[in-house]
Amino acid sequence: MAYSRYRPVGKHRASFFRRLAHAACLFMFLPSVSLVITLMDLVRPSYAFTFAASFRQRLFPAHVLRGSDTISSHPLWIVSATSKNMHDVGGVECQAVTVDIEVVGDITILEATAKAQESLVEEAIRLDDDDTVPGGIIREGDVYGSVLWPSASAVANHILSRSSFEYLSKTTILELGSGSGLVSIALARGGAMKVVASDYESVPLQLLKYSESKLNPAGYCPRSIETVIFDICEKDVPLPTADLVVAADVMYETKTGEALAHRTVEALRRGSRVVIGCSPGRPGRPAFVEEMKVLEPGLKTEFVEAVGTTRSRVPSDPKTSDPGKQKPVSVLILDLDPQSSLP
């Protein structure tokens, strides 16, 4: 009887010491895990991100990453090694990319990793094959907005280097096809009175807002950037009001080139300045020029050369999540003022 009477107490004590031993082991084990993650982060960031997420969820299964909730938003020190570069936004694995912009300095934005881009392309193909199937992450099958394109930095540099703070502080800016949002964030930081970033996919706008709020220091932008779903190809929908309309690398198709021509004329006729950036070889640029000749025969649409930014990846590993080194690339800029451009 004595044994059975005190057995629960003994069991409780054994359980207590067992848990204490487990906690001690875990305490000694965590630094090793952190070291492994750190080493993985140096070699293959995407693997480190996946490993850290899996380990964290096994420790704390109630905290499952969903939607805009990311690893970097939780103060668990074992994943801090990867939080600088890898982020999960709305189910899209992204990497942080920092670009040096004239006048305002470094700006950090998000770009989908190579692996995530492949997944988005597969979804785009699925949507293209069967338009009756509802979209998942993307709604129209456009994956271009999750990538940083070369002319974005050129457009931002062109405007900031040629505009006074006084001008920007009184200017409302609309970016068409904002993508990851480098231009919008740069102009907001430059002191623009109001910046509206538009895209016809929601994923790029989510990346933009995440970058604005979490990847850049507090007070980085004087005013919050507004985002809106807007398709430049929907001609029946009027262009949102703005003093300056900008677009970077949206002429990736003939139809977008033609649509941008209509939006450019629409903006100029209402008194807005238009600045467009385009990387060489874009199939939509010839269509843009020809459509502009039809809409405004006397308007000169002469693009000038500028320097944009791209990044080099390791040729032997095209699927790497390493953002690579920045390198200059030649792009084209068109700057149209309504007072001097329209006949």
Side-chain angles (χ1 to χ4, degrees):
M1 288 293 294
Y3 174 78
S4 62
R5 178 181 178 182
Y6 291 102
R7 185 177 180 182
V9 178
K11 182 179 181 180
H12 175 75
R13 289 176 177 174
S15 177
F16 171 77
F17 286 113
R18 204 163 42 238
R19 292 178 182 178
L20 185 62
H22 288 170
C25 291
L26 183 61
F27 180 79
M28 291 184 290
F29 178 61
L30 284 178
S32 299
V33 174
S34 181
L35 178 61
V36 170
I37 294 174
T38 301
L39 293 175
M40 291 176 68
D41 190 44
L42 295 174
V43 179
R44 187 64 64 83
S46 60
Y47 289 177
F49 179 86
T50 303
F51 177 79
S54 175
F55 187 79
R56 183 185 190 282
Q57 291 178 9
R58 288 180 181 277
L59 282 179
F60 307 102
H63 299 284
V64 179
L65 302 178
R66 293 177 180 174
S68 61
D69 196 16
T70 68
I71 285 181
S72 62
S73 65
H74 296 280
L76 184 63
W77 64 272
I78 63 171
V79 299
S80 61
T82 63
S83 62
K84 291 192 303 181
N85 297 324
M86 305 301 296
H87 304 263
D88 183 282
V89 182
V92 179
E93 184 186 71
C94 302
Q95 58 198 5
V97 178
T98 300
V99 181
D100 184 18
I101 300 297
E102 296 178 16
V103 180
V104 298
D106 288 347
I107 290 179
T108 302
I109 54 93
L110 286 181
E111 180 181 54
T113 62
K115 180 180 179 181
Q117 290 176 36
E118 288 181 0
S119 298
L120 292 174
V121 168
E122 291 175 359
E123 183 171 340
I125 294 174
R126 178 177 61 83
L127 291 174
D128 187 59
D129 291 340
D130 186 0
D131 55 9
T132 62
V133 178
I137 297 177
I138 54 179
R139 69 184 185 93
E140 295 289 348
D142 188 344
V143 302
Y144 300 110
S146 61
V147 179
L148 175 62
W149 296 104
S151 73
S153 59
V155 169
N157 286 329
H158 176 85
I159 296 172
L160 290 171
S161 63
R162 292 167 174 77
S163 305
S164 65
F165 178 79
E166 182 180 2
Y167 165 78
L168 288 173
S169 64
K170 299 177 181 178
T171 302
T172 297
I173 299 172
L174 168 67
E175 183 178 9
L176 302 176
S178 62
S180 55
L182 177 62
V183 178
S184 290
I185 295 177
L187 297 181
R189 190 184 186 192
M193 180 176 70
K194 180 181 179 181
V195 177
V196 178
S198 70
D199 205 289
Y200 87 124
E201 287 284 356
S202 61
V203 170
L205 300 180
Q206 292 177 32
L207 302 187
L208 187 158
K209 294 301 292 184
Y210 184 99
S211 300
E212 179 194 16
S213 62
K214 297 190 177 185
L215 299 186
N216 297 291
Y220 193 75
C221 298
R223 297 175 179 84
S224 177
I225 299 172
E226 296 183 16
T227 58
V228 61
I229 296 292
F230 180 75
D231 187 352
I232 63 173
C233 294
E234 293 183 359
K235 298 179 181 180
D236 295 335
V237 181
L239 201 65
T241 303
D243 303 309
L244 171 60
V245 178
V246 301
D249 275 321
V250 301
M251 295 185 284
Y252 46 83
E253 292 179 347
T254 299
K255 69 173 184 179
T256 57
E258 294 175 349
L260 184 60
H262 283 267
R263 296 304 186 180
T264 298
V265 172
E266 180 183 355
L268 290 172
R269 287 176 178 174
R270 72 179 185 192
S272 302
R273 176 188 172 193
V274 179
V275 176
I276 298 171
C278 184
S279 298
R282 291 287 187 260
R285 191 167 68 87
F288 170 84
V289 174
E290 291 302 315
E291 194 70 12
M292 289 293 291
K293 292 178 180 179
V294 174
L295 298 173
E296 285 289 347
L299 183 63
K300 294 183 178 180
T301 54
E302 297 180 357
F303 286 81
V304 297
E305 290 189 1
V307 178
T309 302
T310 187
R311 292 170 294 103
S312 59
R313 296 184 184 276
V314 181
S316 61
D317 190 5
K319 295 184 180 181
T320 180
S321 296
D322 184 359
K325 296 181 180 180
Q326 294 184 23
K327 64 177 183 179
V329 61
S330 178
V331 298
L332 300 171
I333 294 287
L334 177 65
D335 191 339
L336 299 174
D337 182 86
Q339 297 181 351
S340 58
S341 299
L342 290 178

